[in-house]
């Protein structure tokens, strides 16, 4: 699992590459939490174009980061989900709380 954090203007972009599952969840959680607490930003974008798989643990990581960011009154969205991850977002109802751009 690879995690890249970039900025596009004042938006922080989390690029997740690989599989977000029980084996990588703690690494991803720590990396994203550190970036959220250490940086100033106006919005967060999860770029999931190269995330090939996500299980229920991965869904929990995304929901947890969503809640953390929303406590800061910042918007959160998802962009370019891979077909597999898009299906997982639809089936789990994540698109009801996190918008897709």
């Amino acid at each position: 699992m690879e995690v890249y954090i970039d900025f596009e203007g004042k938006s922080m972009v989390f690029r997740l590459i690989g599989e977000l599952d029980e084996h990588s969840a703690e690494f991803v959680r720590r990396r994203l939490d550190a970036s959220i607490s250490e940086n100033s930003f106006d919005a967060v974008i999860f770029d999931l174009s190269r995330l090939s798989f996500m299980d229920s643990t991965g869904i929990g990581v995304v929901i947890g980061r969503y809640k953390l960011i929303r406590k800061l009154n910042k918007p959160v969205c998802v962009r370019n989900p891979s077909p597999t991850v898009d299906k997982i977002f639809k089936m789990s109802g994540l698109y009801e709380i996190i918008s897709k751009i």
Side-chain angles (χ1 to χ4, degrees):
M1 181 73 204
E2 298 174 54
V3 177
Y4 295 95
I5 293 117
D6 299 310
F7 282 86
E8 293 177 3
K10 293 189 178 198
S11 294
M12 187 161 46
V13 179
F14 297 140
R15 298 179 201 285
L16 305 181
I17 301 172
E19 297 184 355
L20 181 51
D21 56 19
E22 66 179 306
H23 301 292
S24 61
E26 187 60 28
F27 164 74
V28 174
R29 184 180 300 112
R30 286 183 186 179
R31 185 83 198 277
L32 299 185
D33 286 355
S35 294
I36 291 165
S37 67
E38 295 170 1
N39 291 289
S40 176
F41 55 90
D42 287 345
V44 170
I45 301 168
F46 283 88
D47 184 319
L48 305 179
S49 58
R50 296 182 57 197
L51 187 66
S52 58
F53 175 77
M54 182 170 68
D55 66 6
S56 60
T57 308
I59 291 169
V61 170
V62 171
I63 291 172
R65 290 342 88 211
Y66 167 81
K67 288 179 178 180
L68 182 61
I69 296 160
R70 292 301 299 152
K71 282 183 183 178
L72 300 171
N73 293 317
K74 308 292 183 180
V76 181
C77 63
V78 173
R79 104 174 146 198
N80 302 324
S82 66
T84 301
V85 173
D86 188 52
K87 185 176 180 179
I88 292 166
F89 265 67
K90 287 175 184 172
M91 289 173 37
S92 67
L94 279 175
Y95 285 136
E96 293 178 28
I97 61 168
I98 302 174
S99 61
K100 178 177 159 183
I101 59 169

